[in-house]
Short mmCIF file of all heavy atoms in Angstrom, two decimals:
data_model
loop_
_atom_site.label_atom_id
_atom_site.label_comp_id
_atom_site.label_asym_id
_atom_site.label_seq_id
_atom_site.Cartn_x
_atom_site.Cartn_y
_atom_site.Cartn_z
N LEU A 1 -21.27 8.66 -15.24
CA LEU A 1 -20.39 9.77 -14.84
C LEU A 1 -21.16 11.09 -14.80
O LEU A 1 -21.04 11.85 -13.85
CB LEU A 1 -19.20 9.88 -15.78
CG LEU A 1 -18.29 11.09 -15.56
CD1 LEU A 1 -17.60 11.01 -14.21
CD2 LEU A 1 -17.28 11.20 -16.68
N ILE A 2 -21.95 11.32 -15.81
CA ILE A 2 -22.73 12.58 -15.86
C ILE A 2 -23.67 12.67 -14.67
O ILE A 2 -23.69 13.67 -13.95
CB ILE A 2 -23.49 12.69 -17.20
CG1 ILE A 2 -22.49 12.90 -18.35
CG2 ILE A 2 -24.51 13.82 -17.15
CD1 ILE A 2 -23.08 12.71 -19.73
N VAL A 3 -24.44 11.61 -14.45
CA VAL A 3 -25.42 11.65 -13.35
C VAL A 3 -24.72 11.76 -12.00
O VAL A 3 -25.07 12.61 -11.17
CB VAL A 3 -26.33 10.40 -13.38
CG1 VAL A 3 -27.20 10.33 -12.13
CG2 VAL A 3 -27.19 10.42 -14.64
N TYR A 4 -23.70 10.94 -11.77
CA TYR A 4 -23.01 10.97 -10.47
C TYR A 4 -22.30 12.30 -10.24
O TYR A 4 -22.27 12.81 -9.13
CB TYR A 4 -22.01 9.82 -10.36
CG TYR A 4 -22.66 8.47 -10.15
CD1 TYR A 4 -22.28 7.37 -10.90
CD2 TYR A 4 -23.66 8.30 -9.19
CE1 TYR A 4 -22.88 6.13 -10.71
CE2 TYR A 4 -24.25 7.07 -9.00
CZ TYR A 4 -23.86 5.99 -9.75
OH TYR A 4 -24.45 4.77 -9.55
N THR A 5 -21.74 12.89 -11.28
CA THR A 5 -21.05 14.17 -11.14
C THR A 5 -22.05 15.30 -10.85
O THR A 5 -21.82 16.12 -9.97
CB THR A 5 -20.21 14.49 -12.40
OG1 THR A 5 -19.26 13.43 -12.58
CG2 THR A 5 -19.48 15.80 -12.26
N VAL A 6 -23.15 15.31 -11.59
CA VAL A 6 -24.17 16.34 -11.36
C VAL A 6 -24.73 16.24 -9.94
O VAL A 6 -24.96 17.25 -9.27
CB VAL A 6 -25.31 16.21 -12.41
CG1 VAL A 6 -26.52 17.04 -12.02
CG2 VAL A 6 -24.80 16.62 -13.78
N LYS A 7 -24.89 15.02 -9.44
CA LYS A 7 -25.42 14.82 -8.09
C LYS A 7 -24.35 15.02 -7.01
O LYS A 7 -24.65 14.98 -5.82
CB LYS A 7 -26.01 13.41 -7.96
CG LYS A 7 -27.16 13.14 -8.89
CD LYS A 7 -28.41 13.79 -8.38
CE LYS A 7 -29.58 13.41 -9.26
NZ LYS A 7 -30.81 14.03 -8.83
N GLY A 8 -23.10 15.22 -7.41
CA GLY A 8 -22.02 15.45 -6.45
C GLY A 8 -21.47 14.19 -5.80
O GLY A 8 -20.82 14.26 -4.76
N PHE A 9 -21.69 13.03 -6.44
CA PHE A 9 -21.23 11.77 -5.86
C PHE A 9 -19.85 11.33 -6.33
O PHE A 9 -19.33 10.34 -5.84
CB PHE A 9 -22.22 10.64 -6.16
CG PHE A 9 -23.55 10.79 -5.50
CD1 PHE A 9 -24.72 10.65 -6.23
CD2 PHE A 9 -23.65 11.08 -4.15
CE1 PHE A 9 -25.95 10.79 -5.63
CE2 PHE A 9 -24.88 11.22 -3.54
CZ PHE A 9 -26.03 11.07 -4.28
N SER A 10 -19.27 12.02 -7.29
CA SER A 10 -17.95 11.60 -7.77
C SER A 10 -16.91 12.65 -7.42
O SER A 10 -17.22 13.80 -7.16
CB SER A 10 -17.99 11.36 -9.29
OG SER A 10 -18.36 12.52 -9.97
N ASP A 11 -15.67 12.22 -7.41
CA ASP A 11 -14.55 13.10 -7.07
C ASP A 11 -13.68 13.26 -8.32
O ASP A 11 -12.91 12.36 -8.67
CB ASP A 11 -13.75 12.49 -5.93
CG ASP A 11 -12.65 13.40 -5.41
OD1 ASP A 11 -12.09 14.20 -6.21
OD2 ASP A 11 -12.33 13.30 -4.23
N MET A 12 -13.84 14.38 -9.00
CA MET A 12 -13.15 14.60 -10.27
C MET A 12 -11.64 14.56 -10.12
O MET A 12 -10.94 14.07 -11.02
CB MET A 12 -13.61 15.93 -10.89
CG MET A 12 -13.25 16.08 -12.35
SD MET A 12 -13.84 14.76 -13.43
CE MET A 12 -15.59 15.01 -13.41
N SER A 13 -11.08 14.99 -9.00
CA SER A 13 -9.63 14.95 -8.84
C SER A 13 -9.12 13.51 -8.82
O SER A 13 -8.07 13.21 -9.38
CB SER A 13 -9.20 15.70 -7.57
OG SER A 13 -9.63 15.03 -6.42
N VAL A 14 -9.88 12.61 -8.22
CA VAL A 14 -9.49 11.20 -8.22
C VAL A 14 -9.65 10.61 -9.62
O VAL A 14 -8.80 9.86 -10.09
CB VAL A 14 -10.32 10.40 -7.18
CG1 VAL A 14 -10.03 8.91 -7.29
CG2 VAL A 14 -10.03 10.89 -5.77
N ILE A 15 -10.73 10.99 -10.29
CA ILE A 15 -10.96 10.51 -11.65
C ILE A 15 -9.79 10.91 -12.55
O ILE A 15 -9.26 10.09 -13.30
CB ILE A 15 -12.29 11.06 -12.21
CG1 ILE A 15 -13.46 10.46 -11.44
CG2 ILE A 15 -12.41 10.77 -13.71
CD1 ILE A 15 -14.78 11.13 -11.73
N LEU A 16 -9.38 12.16 -12.47
CA LEU A 16 -8.29 12.64 -13.31
C LEU A 16 -6.96 11.99 -12.95
O LEU A 16 -6.16 11.67 -13.83
CB LEU A 16 -8.18 14.16 -13.22
CG LEU A 16 -9.38 14.93 -13.80
CD1 LEU A 16 -9.24 16.42 -13.50
CD2 LEU A 16 -9.53 14.67 -15.28
N ARG A 17 -6.72 11.76 -11.66
CA ARG A 17 -5.44 11.15 -11.25
C ARG A 17 -5.34 9.68 -11.61
O ARG A 17 -4.26 9.16 -11.87
CB ARG A 17 -5.25 11.31 -9.73
CG ARG A 17 -4.95 12.73 -9.31
CD ARG A 17 -4.44 12.81 -7.86
NE ARG A 17 -5.16 11.97 -6.95
CZ ARG A 17 -6.04 12.40 -6.03
NH1 ARG A 17 -6.31 13.69 -5.93
NH2 ARG A 17 -6.62 11.57 -5.21
N THR A 18 -6.46 8.98 -11.64
CA THR A 18 -6.41 7.54 -11.92
C THR A 18 -6.76 7.19 -13.37
O THR A 18 -6.54 6.07 -13.79
CB THR A 18 -7.38 6.77 -10.99
OG1 THR A 18 -8.71 7.25 -11.20
CG2 THR A 18 -6.98 6.94 -9.53
N GLY A 19 -7.27 8.15 -14.11
CA GLY A 19 -7.70 7.89 -15.48
C GLY A 19 -6.61 7.39 -16.40
O GLY A 19 -6.81 6.44 -17.15
N ALA A 20 -5.44 8.00 -16.34
CA ALA A 20 -4.35 7.58 -17.23
C ALA A 20 -3.90 6.15 -16.91
O ALA A 20 -3.70 5.35 -17.83
CB ALA A 20 -3.17 8.54 -17.10
N GLY A 21 -3.78 5.84 -15.65
CA GLY A 21 -3.40 4.48 -15.26
C GLY A 21 -4.45 3.47 -15.67
O GLY A 21 -4.13 2.36 -16.11
N SER A 22 -5.71 3.84 -15.54
CA SER A 22 -6.80 2.96 -15.95
C SER A 22 -6.76 2.70 -17.45
O SER A 22 -6.96 1.57 -17.90
CB SER A 22 -8.15 3.57 -15.56
OG SER A 22 -8.24 3.72 -14.17
N ALA A 23 -6.51 3.74 -18.23
CA ALA A 23 -6.42 3.59 -19.68
C ALA A 23 -5.25 2.68 -20.06
O ALA A 23 -5.38 1.82 -20.94
CB ALA A 23 -6.30 4.95 -20.35
N LEU A 24 -4.12 2.86 -19.41
CA LEU A 24 -2.96 2.01 -19.68
C LEU A 24 -3.27 0.56 -19.33
O LEU A 24 -2.98 -0.36 -20.09
CB LEU A 24 -1.74 2.50 -18.89
CG LEU A 24 -0.47 1.69 -19.04
CD1 LEU A 24 -0.02 1.67 -20.49
CD2 LEU A 24 0.62 2.23 -18.14
N GLY A 25 -3.90 0.34 -18.18
CA GLY A 25 -4.28 -1.01 -17.78
C GLY A 25 -5.25 -1.64 -18.76
O GLY A 25 -5.15 -2.83 -19.08
N ALA A 26 -6.19 -0.84 -19.28
CA ALA A 26 -7.14 -1.35 -20.27
C ALA A 26 -6.44 -1.76 -21.55
O ALA A 26 -6.76 -2.80 -22.15
CB ALA A 26 -8.21 -0.29 -20.56
N LEU A 27 -5.47 -0.97 -21.99
CA LEU A 27 -4.70 -1.34 -23.20
C LEU A 27 -3.94 -2.64 -23.00
O LEU A 27 -3.96 -3.52 -23.86
CB LEU A 27 -3.72 -0.22 -23.56
CG LEU A 27 -4.33 1.04 -24.17
CD1 LEU A 27 -3.28 2.14 -24.28
CD2 LEU A 27 -4.93 0.73 -25.53
N LEU A 28 -3.28 -2.76 -21.87
CA LEU A 28 -2.53 -3.99 -21.58
C LEU A 28 -3.46 -5.19 -21.48
O LEU A 28 -3.16 -6.27 -22.01
CB LEU A 28 -1.71 -3.82 -20.30
CG LEU A 28 -0.59 -2.79 -20.36
CD1 LEU A 28 0.03 -2.60 -18.97
CD2 LEU A 28 0.46 -3.19 -21.37
N GLY A 29 -4.60 -5.01 -20.81
CA GLY A 29 -5.56 -6.11 -20.69
C GLY A 29 -6.12 -6.53 -22.04
O GLY A 29 -6.27 -7.72 -22.32
N ALA A 30 -6.42 -5.57 -22.89
CA ALA A 30 -6.96 -5.88 -24.22
C ALA A 30 -5.92 -6.62 -25.06
O ALA A 30 -6.26 -7.56 -25.79
CB ALA A 30 -7.40 -4.60 -24.92
N MET A 31 -4.67 -6.22 -24.95
CA MET A 31 -3.61 -6.92 -25.70
C MET A 31 -3.45 -8.35 -25.18
O MET A 31 -3.26 -9.28 -25.97
CB MET A 31 -2.30 -6.16 -25.62
CG MET A 31 -2.32 -4.88 -26.44
SD MET A 31 -0.72 -4.07 -26.62
CE MET A 31 -0.36 -3.58 -24.95
N LEU A 32 -3.54 -8.53 -23.88
CA LEU A 32 -3.43 -9.87 -23.30
C LEU A 32 -4.61 -10.74 -23.70
O LEU A 32 -4.45 -11.92 -24.00
CB LEU A 32 -3.32 -9.76 -21.77
CG LEU A 32 -3.05 -11.05 -21.01
CD1 LEU A 32 -1.74 -11.69 -21.47
CD2 LEU A 32 -3.01 -10.78 -19.52
N LEU A 33 -5.81 -10.15 -23.73
CA LEU A 33 -7.01 -10.90 -24.12
C LEU A 33 -6.83 -11.52 -25.50
O LEU A 33 -7.21 -12.67 -25.72
CB LEU A 33 -8.24 -9.97 -24.13
CG LEU A 33 -9.54 -10.60 -24.62
CD1 LEU A 33 -10.13 -11.51 -23.56
CD2 LEU A 33 -10.53 -9.53 -25.02
N SER A 34 -6.23 -10.79 -26.41
CA SER A 34 -6.08 -11.30 -27.78
C SER A 34 -5.06 -12.44 -27.87
O SER A 34 -5.06 -13.18 -28.84
CB SER A 34 -5.68 -10.17 -28.72
OG SER A 34 -4.37 -9.70 -28.43
N LYS A 35 -4.21 -12.58 -26.86
CA LYS A 35 -3.16 -13.60 -26.92
C LYS A 35 -3.48 -14.87 -26.11
O LYS A 35 -2.94 -15.92 -26.39
CB LYS A 35 -1.85 -13.00 -26.42
CG LYS A 35 -1.37 -11.86 -27.32
CD LYS A 35 0.01 -11.41 -26.95
CE LYS A 35 0.51 -10.24 -27.76
NZ LYS A 35 0.26 -10.26 -29.17
N LEU A 36 -4.35 -14.76 -25.10
CA LEU A 36 -4.62 -15.91 -24.24
C LEU A 36 -5.68 -16.83 -24.84
O LEU A 36 -6.61 -16.36 -25.50
CB LEU A 36 -5.14 -15.43 -22.88
CG LEU A 36 -4.12 -14.83 -21.93
CD1 LEU A 36 -4.81 -14.34 -20.67
CD2 LEU A 36 -3.05 -15.85 -21.57
N PRO A 37 -5.57 -18.12 -24.57
CA PRO A 37 -6.63 -19.04 -24.99
C PRO A 37 -7.93 -18.73 -24.22
O PRO A 37 -7.90 -18.27 -23.08
CB PRO A 37 -6.10 -20.42 -24.59
CG PRO A 37 -4.64 -20.24 -24.35
CD PRO A 37 -4.44 -18.82 -23.96
N SER A 38 -9.05 -19.01 -24.85
CA SER A 38 -10.36 -18.70 -24.26
C SER A 38 -10.58 -19.36 -22.90
O SER A 38 -11.19 -18.77 -22.02
CB SER A 38 -11.48 -19.12 -25.21
OG SER A 38 -11.47 -18.31 -26.36
N ASN A 39 -10.08 -20.58 -22.71
CA ASN A 39 -10.31 -21.24 -21.43
C ASN A 39 -9.58 -20.51 -20.29
O ASN A 39 -10.06 -20.46 -19.17
CB ASN A 39 -9.95 -22.73 -21.48
CG ASN A 39 -8.49 -22.98 -21.81
OD1 ASN A 39 -7.87 -22.20 -22.54
ND2 ASN A 39 -7.95 -24.07 -21.31
N TYR A 40 -8.43 -19.91 -20.55
CA TYR A 40 -7.73 -19.13 -19.52
C TYR A 40 -8.53 -17.87 -19.17
O TYR A 40 -8.61 -17.47 -18.02
CB TYR A 40 -6.34 -18.71 -19.99
CG TYR A 40 -5.31 -19.81 -20.03
CD1 TYR A 40 -5.64 -21.15 -19.91
CD2 TYR A 40 -3.97 -19.50 -20.22
CE1 TYR A 40 -4.68 -22.14 -19.96
CE2 TYR A 40 -3.00 -20.49 -20.28
CZ TYR A 40 -3.37 -21.80 -20.14
OH TYR A 40 -2.41 -22.77 -20.19
N ILE A 41 -9.11 -17.27 -20.19
CA ILE A 41 -9.93 -16.08 -19.98
C ILE A 41 -11.14 -16.43 -19.13
O ILE A 41 -11.49 -15.74 -18.18
CB ILE A 41 -10.34 -15.45 -21.32
CG1 ILE A 41 -9.09 -14.98 -22.07
CG2 ILE A 41 -11.32 -14.29 -21.11
CD1 ILE A 41 -9.33 -14.69 -23.53
N ARG A 42 -11.79 -17.55 -19.46
CA ARG A 42 -12.97 -17.99 -18.72
C ARG A 42 -12.62 -18.28 -17.26
O ARG A 42 -13.33 -17.87 -16.34
CB ARG A 42 -13.56 -19.23 -19.39
CG ARG A 42 -14.86 -19.69 -18.82
CD ARG A 42 -15.52 -20.85 -19.60
NE ARG A 42 -14.66 -21.67 -20.42
CZ ARG A 42 -14.51 -21.53 -21.75
NH1 ARG A 42 -15.15 -20.59 -22.40
NH2 ARG A 42 -13.72 -22.33 -22.41
N ILE A 43 -11.51 -18.95 -17.02
CA ILE A 43 -11.09 -19.25 -15.65
C ILE A 43 -10.76 -17.97 -14.89
O ILE A 43 -11.19 -17.78 -13.75
CB ILE A 43 -9.88 -20.22 -15.65
CG1 ILE A 43 -10.33 -21.60 -16.15
CG2 ILE A 43 -9.25 -20.31 -14.27
CD1 ILE A 43 -9.19 -22.54 -16.50
N GLY A 44 -10.01 -17.08 -15.53
CA GLY A 44 -9.67 -15.81 -14.88
C GLY A 44 -10.89 -14.98 -14.57
O GLY A 44 -11.02 -14.41 -13.47
N PHE A 45 -11.82 -14.92 -15.50
CA PHE A 45 -13.07 -14.17 -15.31
C PHE A 45 -13.86 -14.77 -14.15
O PHE A 45 -14.38 -14.05 -13.28
CB PHE A 45 -13.87 -14.19 -16.61
CG PHE A 45 -15.12 -13.35 -16.58
CD1 PHE A 45 -15.04 -11.97 -16.45
CD2 PHE A 45 -16.36 -13.94 -16.70
CE1 PHE A 45 -16.19 -11.20 -16.45
CE2 PHE A 45 -17.51 -13.17 -16.71
CZ PHE A 45 -17.43 -11.80 -16.58
N GLY A 46 -13.94 -16.08 -14.13
CA GLY A 46 -14.65 -16.76 -13.03
C GLY A 46 -14.01 -16.48 -11.69
O GLY A 46 -14.71 -16.24 -10.70
N LEU A 47 -12.69 -16.51 -11.63
CA LEU A 47 -12.00 -16.23 -10.38
C LEU A 47 -12.25 -14.79 -9.90
O LEU A 47 -12.48 -14.56 -8.72
CB LEU A 47 -10.49 -16.47 -10.52
CG LEU A 47 -10.05 -17.92 -10.58
CD1 LEU A 47 -8.57 -18.02 -10.92
CD2 LEU A 47 -10.34 -18.62 -9.27
N VAL A 48 -12.22 -13.85 -10.82
CA VAL A 48 -12.50 -12.46 -10.47
C VAL A 48 -13.92 -12.34 -9.91
O VAL A 48 -14.15 -11.65 -8.91
CB VAL A 48 -12.30 -11.52 -11.67
CG1 VAL A 48 -12.87 -10.14 -11.41
CG2 VAL A 48 -10.81 -11.42 -12.01
#
């Protein structure tokens, strides 16, 4: 982020608008990770 911002390659307005949603998604994903069996995680990761 530091390098891309200094070089002018990032758009801070987009970062700020999507940051909260990204954080919420990360929380939900982390909670789901703790509940799913490892083989489901492996399959999902492979599909992604």
Side-chain angles (χ1 to χ4, degrees):
L1 173 66
I2 291 167
V3 172
Y4 286 133
T5 301
V6 167
K7 298 283 185 181
F9 294 131
S10 60
D11 186 329
M12 195 55 68
S13 68
V14 174
I15 293 169
L16 294 173
R17 289 193 318 253
T18 60
S22 298
L24 178 61
L27 287 171
L28 294 173
M31 287 190 295
L32 186 59
L33 176 76
S34 68
K35 296 189 183 317
L36 285 176
S38 292
N39 61 329
Y40 287 12
I41 297 164
R42 187 174 22 261
I43 291 167
F45 185 65
L47 286 172
V48 167

